[in-house]
Amino acid sequence: MLTAFSNTPARERIIVALDCGKDEALALADKLAGHAVWMKVGMTLYYAHGPEVVRALKEKGFKVFLDLKLHDIPHQVKGAAKAVANSGADMMTMHTFGGVAMMQAAQEGVSLSASERGASPIVTLGVTVLTSMDDETLAGLGVGRSAADQVKALAEKAKEAQISGVVASPQEAAVLRGILGPDAYIVTPGVRPAGAALGDQSRVATPAKAFADGASHIVVGRPITQAEDPVAAFEAIVDEIQES
Ligand code: C5P
């Protein structure tokens, strides 16, 4: 599937999820320097160490995806999004379920930070339905739609709010690419290179399949971070993408 990202080099489309403690994360980053471009910092690492972790990764030359999944009233999210952008992060997340006004507020916060810093606005992504939730969970919460339909409905809201794109499972990528168009970011976790251990992920796709279905970027954690040789594991994924 041709997208605005089709000509982006493979290594710039892989985001390494650093789901570990700070020392381990920074040691991994040192190993992957010169190979990987993007690192993902999630809530566990961020709530323990704060913007210091983002700064340390930026100093090592990485782009940082700060995955804090903001969800609050628009005023609060605007301030939080601005703070996230000011920290030096290059990509951030919010829950689309916060609504169009909240997503627009996040975008405003990011734009305000960009104009104050004289930089381009960072990438803003919406999370639709968490993959830990299924049709039954949604029904229990009073949501009448199936998870698949809810993902589509929330993606439409992300489009309306004009944020950069969404986080989605590889299975949803093709449908979401149809809704969001060729320029949107569609970042997919749940990716496993051919033959890799699944861990706790159930609905997975290979990197090549995720991109063929319209992903702009893939998030890969344990297949790289828990490999005996993380650099070799990362480069094997780059090769797998380039060969496809
Ligand atoms: O180790 P693994 O490759 O499974 O890591 C995937 C990363 O993507 C983790 O940081 C996980 O929290 C995140 N993620 C996910 N599924 C989602 C959303 C985020 O696996 N639906």
Side-chain angles (χ1 to χ4, degrees):
M1 190 178 294
L2 270 185
T3 69
F5 305 89
S6 297
N7 292 326
T8 304
R11 69 181 67 249
E12 293 176 28
R13 302 177 74 186
I14 304 168
I15 302 172
V16 181
L18 294 174
D19 298 321
C20 49
K22 182 181 160 221
D23 293 345
E24 202 186 326
L26 295 182
L28 258 165
D30 282 334
K31 279 191 194 149
L32 289 164
H35 298 271
V37 174
W38 281 96
M39 296 283 162
K40 180 168 93 76
V41 173
M43 289 185 198
T44 305
L45 193 52
Y46 191 81
Y47 287 149
H49 301 284
E52 178 201 328
V53 180
V54 178
R55 270 196 298 274
L57 290 169
K58 293 298 292 182
E59 275 165 20
K60 293 180 192 295
F62 293 100
K63 288 186 178 177
V64 177
F65 172 13
L66 188 49
D67 185 17
L68 300 180
K69 300 186 175 69
L70 306 182
H71 190 177
D72 204 327
I73 57 170
H75 178 71
Q76 186 69 250
V77 167
K78 180 177 173 180
K82 186 179 174 207
V84 164
N86 282 347
S87 78
D90 301 278
M91 185 184 272
M92 51 89 65
T93 50
M94 68 197 86
H95 274 284
T96 53
F97 203 71
V100 172
M102 189 211 79
M103 288 187 271
Q104 286 170 333
Q107 195 62 51
E108 277 170 36
V110 159
S111 299
L112 207 56
S113 163
S115 58
E116 285 178 10
R117 291 178 298 123
S120 305
I122 69 168
V123 177
T124 48
L125 300 175
V127 174
T128 57
V129 179
L130 295 170
T131 45
S132 52
M133 304 177 88
D134 57 14
D135 292 357
E136 202 184 328
T137 324
L138 291 182
L141 292 169
V143 176
R145 295 191 194 101
S146 67
D149 286 345
Q150 181 73 346
V151 166
K152 285 187 253 175
L154 291 172
E156 296 278 5
K157 296 293 174 195
K159 186 178 181 184
E160 190 181 331
Q162 296 187 304
I163 61 171
S164 315
V166 294
V167 180
S169 81
Q171 283 75 13
E172 296 158 352
V175 167
L176 293 177
R177 182 57 74 193
I179 293 172
L180 298 171
D183 295 332
Y185 280 73
I186 298 181
V187 178
T188 63
V191 172
R192 289 290 176 269
L198 297 190
D200 53 7
Q201 298 281 14
S202 53
R203 296 188 306 136
V204 300
T206 62
K209 174 86 168 87
F211 288 130
D213 286 346
S216 64
H217 297 75
I218 55 173
V219 177
V220 185
R222 288 161 290 178
I224 295 170
T225 59
Q226 292 184 4
E228 208 159 301
D229 183 346
V231 171
F234 180 85
E235 289 298 335
I237 297 174
V238 172
D239 289 345
E240 188 179 328
I241 297 165
Q242 281 168 347
E243 279 159 19
S244 66

